[in-house]
Amino acid sequence: MNDIRNNWTKEEIAAIYHRPLLQLILEAADMHRRHHTFGEVQVSSLLSIKTGGCPEDCAYCPQAARYHTGVKVQALMQVEEVVEKAQEAKAGGASRFCMGAAWREVRDNRDFDRVLDMVKEVNKLDMEVCCTLGMLTESQAARLAEAGLYAYNHNIDTSEEYYNNIIGTRDFEDRIGTLLHVRKAGITVCSGGIIGMGETNEDRIGMLHTLATLPQHPESVPINALVPVEGTPLGESKRVPFYDLVRMIATVRLVMPKAAARLSAGRLELSLAEQGMCFLAGANSIFAGDKLLTTPNPEFNSDLEMFELLGLKPKAAFADKRENIPAGKSTADA
Ligand code: SAM
Ligand code: DTB
Ligand code: SF4
């Protein structure tokens, strides 16, 4: 059976999303076992290397300069500080280190040169290095690849139709353009979105349809439950129903079987049993550490307990073979 398809229709994805819940989870668990080692979870650590003051108007984001959210603006960190944080994350069991900057786009300036140095240095720690820096040109993506970047996170966030209700300062096509540049540079793609922003089920299905019909599926698909932050236009939003989150994860697993389905923002609100259900439904990646970019995340020790209790194991770095091997590594390491 060929599980990997890029010709999904929205109707097919909708039929999956709306299956009876336990049947959906069972099918997703089955698919998960066919393509992944069950119980293995990729652990990423996030660091905000440049915080706040962003010119964009993303309605969910505490780092947009135009909203008053109490996030303190911080200029780009120094390379040494970042390497220290990466070392700590590695010691805590993270195999991937993701550096986030509150930029609209990358500019070819000294800040970008410094980020390239960060990528080179973290790469030396034998961790999968990831960045999320906003929009990229083709040549910027190539420079990041050359520096040893393993993954680039760039979320499409929601459906094409709903996009401009959430973000007015750029278009959906801009996001897709950056994803193509990342792919072309041979960097693995991490792209997903947020639920709980007032979108319909159709929008969620549309978002997954866009990702699942790209010429190549993203290697990683983060599903974030909106963290409502006071001061943002979505600050008063109600928490997204848990079962919607499970449906999203299971649908990711079924339409993009090989992707890492990342249970991302919003984990702090979930019980252990709820997280367990997400892992059963195909989630196999999390952000660990007590902070996401600016909002809290479960404590390191409570995640350790969860891994112990549910019998989960952290996945080793570079466990997935990839065509574009980072500088200094051979396929034998992959
Ligand atoms: N500025 C870059 C960009 O927008 O691509 C990178 C950083 S941005 C904060 C990364 C992602 O975090 C966003 O695309 C969004 O999906 C997610 N995010 C931001 N604020 C969030 C919130 N309050 N709740 C859930 N996810 C959020
Ligand atoms: C992703 O999809 N979620 C992460 C990561 N990619 C960069 C970010 C979540 C941010 C949540 C809000 C905050 O902490 O500022
Ligand atoms: Fe800026 Fe990214 Fe936040 Fe949008 S999501 S406001 S681009 S930091």
Side-chain angles (χ1 to χ4, degrees):
M1 196 196 320
N2 187 12
D3 293 333
I4 313 300
R5 290 178 46 195
N6 302 75
N7 61 353
W8 292 99
T9 63
K10 281 189 189 169
E11 291 69 30
E12 285 174 316
I13 299 179
I16 293 174
Y17 181 87
H18 290 294
R19 292 248 158 92
L21 187 71
L22 293 185
Q23 187 188 329
L24 173 61
I25 294 176
L26 194 67
E27 281 180 38
D30 191 39
M31 185 66 88
H32 192 142
R33 270 206 302 209
R34 282 217 286 279
H35 294 278
H36 302 269
T37 307
F38 207 85
E40 213 173 60
V41 175
Q42 193 242 319
V43 179
S44 295
S45 174
L46 260 179
L47 177 68
S48 183
I49 56 171
K50 186 266 167 186
T51 309
C54 182
E56 299 281 82
D57 69 351
C58 312
Y60 48 75
C61 188
Q63 304 199 64
R66 65 191 72 203
Y67 312 135
H68 301 284
T69 60
V71 165
K72 241 178 67 199
V73 177
Q74 263 192 334
L76 187 65
M77 287 173 72
Q78 298 298 329
V79 179
E80 300 71 35
E81 292 173 86
V82 171
V83 172
E84 251 173 59
K85 295 281 184 192
Q87 279 162 338
E88 282 170 26
K90 185 176 176 175
S95 61
R96 179 176 289 195
F97 190 66
C98 180
M99 300 180 272
W103 286 333
R104 168 184 164 76
E105 76 237 312
V106 167
R107 306 248 169 98
D108 293 300
N109 57 18
R110 271 186 288 177
D111 274 0
F112 184 40
D113 294 338
R114 199 192 288 173
V115 171
L116 292 171
D117 284 340
M118 291 174 190
V119 171
K120 283 182 200 147
E121 291 305 315
V122 178
N123 202 26
K124 287 184 193 155
L125 302 178
D126 214 25
M127 295 180 92
E128 296 174 6
V129 193
C130 175
C131 280
T132 181
L133 313 168
M135 293 182 277
L136 291 181
T137 63
E138 211 175 306
S139 75
Q140 289 163 345
R143 289 180 73 195
L144 283 164
E146 204 181 312
L149 191 73
Y150 185 83
Y152 195 78
N153 167 250
H154 200 65
N155 292 337
I156 60 169
D157 281 334
T158 190
S159 69
E160 184 167 8
E161 292 76 18
Y162 197 59
Y163 199 79
N164 291 120
N165 292 80
I166 299 297
I167 298 147
T169 48
R170 57 170 189 257
D171 289 322
F172 194 75
E173 296 80 65
D174 298 325
R175 294 305 264 190
I176 303 291
T178 292
L179 292 181
L180 296 179
H181 297 155
V182 170
R183 181 58 83 203
K184 194 164 174 200
I187 298 167
T188 67
V189 172
C190 172
S191 187
I194 308 179
I195 60 170
M197 304 191 294
E199 73 288 340
T200 60
N201 284 330
E202 226 181 334
D203 290 312
R204 295 172 186 167
I205 289 156
M207 173 179 103
L208 296 184
H209 179 256
T210 296
L211 296 171
T213 55
L214 287 171
Q216 202 178 330
H217 295 162
E219 281 75 6
S220 160
V221 179
I223 299 298
N224 296 275
L226 175 74
V227 180
V229 178
E230 213 184 309
T232 62
L234 295 176
E236 301 296 314
S237 305
K238 276 218 313 264
R239 197 186 146 195
V240 69
F242 165 69
Y243 294 107
D244 291 10
L245 180 60
V246 184
R247 282 190 186 280
M248 279 303 274
I249 301 261
T251 310
V252 167
R253 176 52 62 236
L254 286 166
V255 300
M256 291 172 273
K258 288 204 183 293
R262 191 186 306 275
L263 179 57
S264 303
R267 218 158 48 78
L268 201 55
E269 305 296 321
L270 301 183
S271 69
L272 239 145
E274 287 172 329
Q275 293 187 63
M277 196 180 259
C278 292
F279 293 122
L280 203 55
N284 61 347
S285 170
I286 58 165
F287 287 116
D290 58 10
K291 203 153 127 202
L292 289 164
L293 291 171
T294 65
T295 64
N297 196 44
E299 296 283 337
F300 179 70
N301 283 336
S302 72
D303 276 344
L304 268 187
E305 275 172 37
M306 175 176 77
F307 271 54
E308 185 73 27
L309 197 77
L310 301 179
L312 302 173
K313 273 197 311 267
K315 188 170 175 172
F318 307 108
D320 292 320
K321 286 210 173 69
R322 66 190 193 104
E323 279 134 48
N324 198 30
I325 307 299
K329 294 194 167 55
S330 71
T331 27
D333 304 319

